[in-house]
Amino acid sequence: MKFGLLTYRKEEKNIGDYIQSIAAKRYLPTVDKYISREGLKLYNDENIAVILNGWFLHDPKQWPPSEKITPFFTSLHITPPAYNSFLSESSIAYMKKFEPIGCRDLVTLNLLKNKGVEAFFSGCLTLTLNKEDFHSGKKHDVILNDILFNWKVSFLLKSEASWFRKLLFLPFYLLRSLYRKYLILKIIPKDIRKRSENATNELKSYQQSDVQKFQIAEEMLEKIANSNLVITSRIHVALPCLAFGTPVVFINNNLNGERFKGIVDLFNCVDIKEYKRSNIDWNNVINKKTYQDLRTKLISRCTDFISNLDDDN
């Protein structure tokens, strides 16, 4: 059996996807091909096994995958624009062939169970990363990862909206961004901020190759694996921190978002809109241990999948 590893759209600038592929890679005996997440249905080469984990899908027309792909479903998240494709009769019939389906969040879990698919909450595959794989000669104190990143401004500037519309909405989004930054700076104590350095999962350009993007993702993992504290708004930084034993605080203004259901229960969180309720001891952040059972089961299921393929051959 040949093995494939998921890659992503050329214009993808968030290395979070690549962090998820790095988590999958450690279970594969070899990586024989890169398989585009947005081209799963078009694949027409030799039979290949692929771990299908993470966020699905920018192009719902690419679902379900080619019959030449042997999938292993774990840590699956279905994004709302893809609901129609994933919950269609053909898709449900396809996934039932490979059940049980591991779901990254509770919303995805309930969607599939309501369609009669055997599914369970698996958590994210990034919970299984090993700190020993990311040695670094450089130690870091406090990392602020994308807590000041402006999603709305970034989305607006990248959108296909006319420049008139962009200029019309840009002042509103910028003002809201400044207020958000003000709240965040009130959340994090001054002495913690003084000890911190900034980091981002957002690439400056999408022109890098997949190899370069994987390298940048590995550098980010190396940084957070060797830090004393990470404060982030990225779930694919917060979850690896749990795996590494790095103290982490997740800050967001939408903790009730669909893709967070079940996940945010695994770590210390602060809702920007309710910062006065924060009870974080910033000088002694202790991670929750609830992720450990999920990690153990994820490792076991991924290992069994590869082992069973070997037995079949």
Side-chain angles (χ1 to χ4, degrees), residues 5-6 8 14-26 37 51 53-56 74-77 104 124-126 129 214 217 221 235-236 239-240:
L5 185 67
L6 287 181
Y8 308 94
N14 178 6
I15 63 170
D17 285 327
Y18 289 86
I19 289 174
Q20 292 184 87
S21 284
I22 289 171
K25 181 181 178 181
R26 62 186 295 259
R37 180 180 63 189
I51 295 176
N53 64 306
W55 187 98
F56 284 79
T74 188
S75 308
L76 178 72
H77 168 71
R104 197 179 77 186
C124 183
L125 198 57
T126 56
L129 289 165
F214 274 117
L221 290 171
I235 58 174
H236 292 111
L239 292 165

Side-chain angles (χ1 to χ4, degrees), residues 98-154:
F98 305 101
E99 58 188 11
I101 307 296
C103 300
R104 197 179 77 186
D105 56 276
L106 298 180
V107 172
T108 297
L109 171 64
N110 290 328
L111 283 171
L112 295 182
K113 290 182 73 173
N114 288 339
K115 286 292 186 176
V117 178
E118 185 181 345
F120 65 97
F121 176 61
S122 67
C124 183
L125 198 57
T126 56
L127 289 171
T128 71
L129 289 165
N130 281 332
K131 183 173 183 176
E132 292 75 16
D133 296 332
F134 299 96
H135 291 293
S136 173
K138 183 178 180 181
K139 298 293 183 180
H140 303 269
D141 192 0
V142 180
I143 300 292
L144 303 183
N145 177 270
D146 282 339
I147 61 168
L148 300 180
F149 183 73
N150 194 312
W151 309 98
K152 289 292 186 180
V153 170
S154 177

Side-chain angles (χ1 to χ4, degrees), residues 97-253:
K97 295 178 184 178
F98 305 101
E99 58 188 11
I101 307 296
C103 300
R104 197 179 77 186
D105 56 276
L106 298 180
V107 172
T108 297
L109 171 64
N110 290 328
L111 283 171
L112 295 182
K113 290 182 73 173
N114 288 339
K115 286 292 186 176
V117 178
E118 185 181 345
F120 65 97
F121 176 61
S122 67
C124 183
L125 198 57
T126 56
L127 289 171
T128 71
L129 289 165
N130 281 332
K131 183 173 183 176
E132 292 75 16
D133 296 332
F134 299 96
H135 291 293
S136 173
K138 183 178 180 181
K139 298 293 183 180
H140 303 269
D141 192 0
V142 180
I143 300 292
L144 303 183
N145 177 270
D146 282 339
I147 61 168
L148 300 180
F149 183 73
N150 194 312
W151 309 98
K152 289 292 186 180
V153 170
S154 177
F155 179 79
L156 178 66
L157 293 177
K158 290 189 295 185
S159 73
E160 297 180 358
S162 67
W163 277 106
F164 173 77
R165 186 176 180 84
K166 289 180 181 180
L167 290 174
L168 183 65
F169 283 95
L170 190 59
F172 169 74
Y173 287 145
L174 287 173
L175 286 173
R176 188 166 71 173
S177 173
L178 289 174
Y179 180 63
R180 183 171 180 261
K181 291 177 181 180
Y182 164 76
L183 292 179
I184 290 173
L185 293 177
K186 285 182 70 68
I187 292 170
I188 305 172
K190 188 175 181 180
D191 64 308
I192 298 292
R193 285 188 274 121
K194 283 184 176 181
R195 293 161 43 200
S196 69
E197 59 181 284
N198 290 315
T200 181
N201 279 23
E202 196 76 3
L203 298 172
K204 293 181 180 179
S205 170
Y206 55 77
Q207 297 300 324
Q208 290 100 329
S209 66
D210 284 324
V211 171
Q212 290 171 317
K213 290 178 181 178
F214 274 117
Q215 181 179 352
I216 293 168
E218 287 174 356
E219 290 171 355
M220 176 58 68
L221 290 171
E222 184 178 276
K223 182 175 289 188
I224 64 176
N226 295 279
S227 298
N228 294 325
L229 173 64
V230 173
I231 306 169
T232 184
S233 63
R234 301 279 196 175
I235 58 174
H236 292 111
V237 168
L239 292 165
C241 281
L242 295 180
F244 296 150
T246 301
V248 60
V249 177
F250 183 74
I251 295 183
N252 204 277
N253 64 345

Side-chain angles (χ1 to χ4, degrees), residues 39-61:
L40 291 170
K41 196 168 190 174
L42 299 175
Y43 179 78
N44 192 31
D45 206 335
E46 58 190 330
N47 291 339
I48 198 164
V50 183
I51 295 176
L52 296 184
N53 64 306
W55 187 98
F56 284 79
L57 187 67
H58 284 292
D59 184 4
K61 293 179 182 178

Side-chain angles (χ1 to χ4, degrees), residues 267-311:
F267 34 67
N268 299 299
C269 297
V270 175
D271 189 323
I272 294 173
K273 294 174 290 189
E274 300 180 8
Y275 70 94
K276 291 182 179 179
R277 299 184 185 181
S278 172
N279 59 354
I280 302 294
D281 181 356
W282 293 95
N283 292 304
N284 186 34
V285 174
I286 299 175
N287 290 340
K288 298 179 181 180
K289 304 298 183 183
T290 49
Y291 78 93
Q292 292 177 336
D293 185 52
L294 293 172
R295 172 185 167 92
T296 300
K297 290 178 179 177
L298 278 165
I299 292 172
S300 177
R301 292 191 74 245
C302 289
T303 303
D304 287 347
F305 169 68
I306 301 300
S307 177
N308 290 337
L309 287 174
D310 291 340
D311 291 342

